[in-house]
Amino acid sequence: MKFTSTVLAALVATSLVVALHAQVKERPIPRIVKKDGRFALLVDGAPYLVLGGQVHNSSTWPAMLPKVWPAMEDLNVNTVEMPIYWEQFEPRPGQYDYTTIDTVLTQARQHHVRLVLLWFGTWKNGSQHYMPEWMKLAPDRYPHLVDKNGQAVDSPSPFAAASLEADKTAFTAFMRHLKKADPERTVIMVQVENEAGTWGTLRDYSPAAQKLFTSPVPRDMLDAMQVTSSASSPNWQEAFGPEAEVCFHAWSVAKYVGQVAAAGKAVYPLPLYANAALRDPLKPGAPGSYESGGPTDNVLAIWKVAAPALDILAPDIYTNDPAAYLKVLELYHRDDNPLFVPETGGAANARFLFSALGLQAIGFSPFGMDYTRGQDTGPGSRQPDEFLAWAMSYRLIGPMQREIARLNFEGKLKAVAEEPPKVVDTLPFGDWNAVVSYGARRDGQAVGNAEPTGRAMVAQLKDNQFLVTGFFCRVDFRPAGTGQQRKSQHSLEGTGQVPSALIDSRWRHRQFLRVEEGTYENGVFKFLRIWNGDETDWGLNFSSEAVVLRVSVATY
Ligand code: DGJ
């Protein structure tokens, strides 16, 4: 063969690809760990904070990706959440199409982001709309569940053995492919199904379901829900009364999803989670007013026991009520469950990323973050102000996400968001209290921001040194302890007044030794300047600027 320049170029290119491939060292598989009651998501062996964005439902198609990446860049994410569609993945029984997954893997790497892939399998928002056509056309084999009147509902039956087998097999093929195609661990987590459960009926009333519903509740479920019943082997109605149907359906759905998750995890043990369409956390309505069967707050214990292959049960938070938002964060931050918010929305809710971090969240992700839909008003639509609201926080936290994740895992970080009518938050750190105030006037009085946009994060680096950042707030430090604190506590909580450093010479006072502004680059704090004078005399003021301070304090 004559070595033309084209042949030569092709040979060089091929050997380059081979060499590059050989260079891709297999990285550790991401995993969730727990230490001293706190969780971390380890990626490349170290704690990682998901600063995510989830695309619209129909955006994981190669032709749509050019409208995804620019949005993710504008948002400053480090992780993109994208669905993988069963109907696309398995167009004919047993024939798998990996093209979309491979395209997404390649392009995510080119854009230097990680992925969380969402398996849109048996359930998507309670329905089976993502089952492949060949399944939809065989409803006898892959049945819907039936309501009280025997009518088929737009939701899959969790007792459909063939559907379960098909989902397990397809999900396993998907995970096996990921294992092979992703030694870089671009994919760091996988969501199993999407908002599994049922709308429109509380449970399946098929003969198979009826039989189980009237049979004794499995012992592990009674234990999980701490049921004490007069009957020694109560059935679901006897054990759970008005919540019997919801508990039974949660058990039925969780067992199914748990088996799909376990099958996939057996071939590739990535962290797996299931997401929940929530019920109102403050005024929960009766069963039927929320999606039945999903991991809502009242049945988390059922899901934990019935689906142990899932590492996380995660809330999709769309409420506009701040109190409800914070309550959801609390409910899903449990000793057996790391806090992860895979879907959320609303510009005003962007501040709650800080509240979530205050509860050691491993990640957060607004939904609908791509440019496939312009400025529409349909379901899941997003407005430009939302992009800005999230982007602002991500731009601030992004460069130091590894430090934040590590400090949080070590229990050294506290964070809050403004929640009217409170105008001051106090974050205790041993000998020091970090005092966060919102809407501080020139005279030091905190009156709250016009809109509650304040948020702050403080982490203890050494005994007297702190990492401090935030938006629309003032942060100051007070020596803690009975004597030293009395005066400031009084003036803070009594009147909303933010005391200056020179309150009362009988008490110890804070002085700033050194307030350094800087940025994190590759885990190292890069010094920019020292703050002093107007920048520190009233406390440390944070505006809309992304500012990170390293603050050393002492007393006098
Ligand atoms: C929650 C679902 O999980 C998403 O897939 C999407 O349908 C949104 N709702 C729409 O707002």
Side-chain angles (χ1 to χ4, degrees), residues 38-51:
R38 289 180 296 273
F39 293 97
L41 166 63
L42 298 189
V43 173
D44 300 337
Y48 181 92
L49 175 63
V50 174
L51 298 173

Side-chain angles (χ1 to χ4, degrees), residues 116-304:
V116 170
L117 295 181
L118 322 176
W119 174 244
F120 280 13
T122 298
W123 280 274
K124 162 67 173 84
N125 294 19
S127 297
Q128 61 207 64
H129 299 175
Y130 283 85
M131 278 186 184
E133 229 176 275
W134 50 269
M135 293 180 76
K136 286 181 180 156
L137 290 172
D140 290 343
R141 191 163 160 68
Y142 308 108
H144 294 74
L145 52 70
V146 293
D147 67 12
K148 264 187 178 151
N149 307 316
Q151 294 299 311
V153 175
D154 186 15
S155 186
S157 169
F159 299 107
S163 307
L164 173 60
E165 263 328 291
D167 198 342
K168 275 166 63 180
T169 310
F171 185 64
T172 304
F174 160 60
M175 293 296 281
R176 187 176 291 120
H177 182 71
L178 275 188
K179 183 180 184 204
K180 195 172 80 193
D182 190 27
E184 292 99 317
R185 317 299 178 203
T186 300
V187 178
I188 57 173
M189 208 155 43
V190 170
Q191 177 187 296
V192 190
E193 317 296 343
N194 189 89
E195 294 191 350
T198 298
W199 295 94
T201 181
L202 292 179
R203 64 174 175 91
D204 194 357
Y205 289 82
S206 66
Q210 281 303 101
K211 188 155 178 261
L212 284 166
F213 186 70
T214 50
S215 301
V217 178
R219 175 53 52 191
D220 58 356
M221 286 301 113
L222 294 175
D223 293 345
M225 295 295 276
Q226 295 170 346
V227 173
T228 45
S229 162
S230 49
S232 63
S233 300
N235 65 28
W236 290 85
Q237 195 61 57
E238 290 161 344
F240 296 105
E243 295 222 328
E245 323 260 1
V246 160
C247 290
F248 174 75
H249 200 42
W251 172 71
S252 318
V253 175
K255 274 199 96 67
Y256 184 122
V257 178
Q259 289 178 74
V260 175
K265 203 165 204 168
V267 298
Y268 188 29
L270 278 181
L272 302 177
Y273 73 94
N275 61 334
L278 304 175
R279 62 177 199 156
D280 188 322
L282 297 173
K283 292 183 262 37
S289 63
Y290 55 93
E291 187 183 30
S292 183
T296 46
D297 67 83
N298 49 335
V299 294
L300 289 175
I302 290 181
W303 270 77
K304 282 286 168 191

Side-chain angles (χ1 to χ4, degrees), residues 437 439-441 468 470-476 512 531 533-545 547 549:
S437 54
R441 293 191 316 216
V468 188
F471 290 117
F472 307 114
C473 67
R474 171 177 292 180
V475 180
D476 206 340
F512 289 122
W531 276 25
D534 289 347
E535 276 64 57
T536 57
D537 288 349
W538 294 91
L540 312 169
N541 291 302
F542 293 90
S543 63
S544 57
E545 277 292 302
V547 168
L549 301 177

